[in-house]
Amino acid sequence: MEHIDKTRLRRNDVIFIAALLAVVAIAGACLYFLRGEGNTVTVTVDGEVYATYSLAVDRVEDIHTGKDGLNRLVIKDGKAWVETASCPDGICAAHKPIHREGESIVCLPNKVVITVSTADSGNQPDIVV
Amino acid sequence: MKRRILCAALALCLLCAGLSACGKPEEKLEKFSAYSFDYFDTATTIVGYAENQEAFDALANQAIARLGEYHRLYNIYLRYEGMENLCTVNELVDGAHRTVTVDRRIIDLLLYAREMHDKTGGMVNVAMGSVLKLWHDYRTIGIDDMQNASLPPMDKLKEAAQHVDITKMVIDEEKSTVTLTDPQMRLDVGAIAKGYATEQVAKWLEAQGVRGWLLNVGGNVRAVGKKPDDTPWTVGLENPEDPTADYLAYLSLTKEALVTSGSYQRFYIVDGKSYHHIIHPDTLMPAEGYLSVSVICPDSGMGDALSTALFCMSIEDGKALVNSLKDVAVSWVTDDGKQTVSDGWKEYVKK
Ligand SMILES: [Zn+2]
């Protein structure tokens, strides 16, 4: 009897340890992948932080600058882009959607910079040129 | 039961260890950034580590102010009250250029420009102002009014190209004067001034003991020391053929400059065809063959000039030029989207 009990305990222990290790591994993996993604966009106007938005939440935001400057920021499916803008050159609105750490859209006339960033940049680039 | 408690404790330890290994390392210094939109027709970004916002701002504002001084001195189209700059050097008074006493920073730029002209066999020439002004004027009109966009006529370009002899730019270092002895000649420092100014601001920051900063003046990137955790800066180099594709490379910079000249950077459209701003000194037309040329080297001014010069040369000639210089690495992306690199380039590519 004693012999059998010990064996069963050991087997339970193994299952328990395996379960705990799995939890640790999953938690680690979540953390690792979460920080690897560029998960927020920071909008600055004339050098001042205007707002920070999560890339995980779809939304449309009008960024008002100066007297009647406007850049319409769209966040959808984890990507951000400028839909329309009041600037004469329209370079910002022509810019492809951004989602990777360090990528940015600049509107020179309206002095708007939209940059993808994370709390911890890990192996992602500091800037993109 | 005892054993289970032990196991739980062990697992907790593992979790903690895992968390701290993944988490942000303890640092006294924080990362800040500053932007400016006023200089060299581009956006300037300064990223740097400092103890607090005030400490960062104090230095960043001075750096930006310095960039502004260079912008005014090197401006060829605007004059500023109470100062001589390259615009006033270009001016004609009674049909001739004056001998203008200028700031030392103008003399230094022009001497450097002359050096780069000689090193590149004339592929970078600040005396090409008359030719480049024609392109500038037609481009400005063309961007403004796309329906009526047109190319500068070749006979006008050829006439302007008669007046691009850099030896007619006479510099007196002692007196700090510049004279353009050909009245038809104009200076255009567009291929070098931004990079040169970036380099001077970076050097000033270095002299202040600053480390762990990164300047980006419209694509003229210059690293000022490693980050506080002793790692290099990582720069993602966009693929010029398809900006949504993977980066061409992740580059590691600690104190180097990275400058890219691209046909996509400044251009206008005439009859559905794109005409970019890098004008070949021989054809007087936009240089052909590349989507982008990127240069990594110790000096941002040199990187700026070289990326323009290499854009106007074959890869073969370019490689010969690069190999004759110290610590210069180059990536060429040809029109078909293919990348060719010089020997030193791989050293900077992050593994
Ligand atoms: Zn814009």
Side-chain angles (χ1 to χ4, degrees), chain A residues 71 85 87 89-92 107-109:
Chain A
N71 298 68
C87 57
D89 58 19
I91 289 171
C92 56
C107 179
L108 214 51

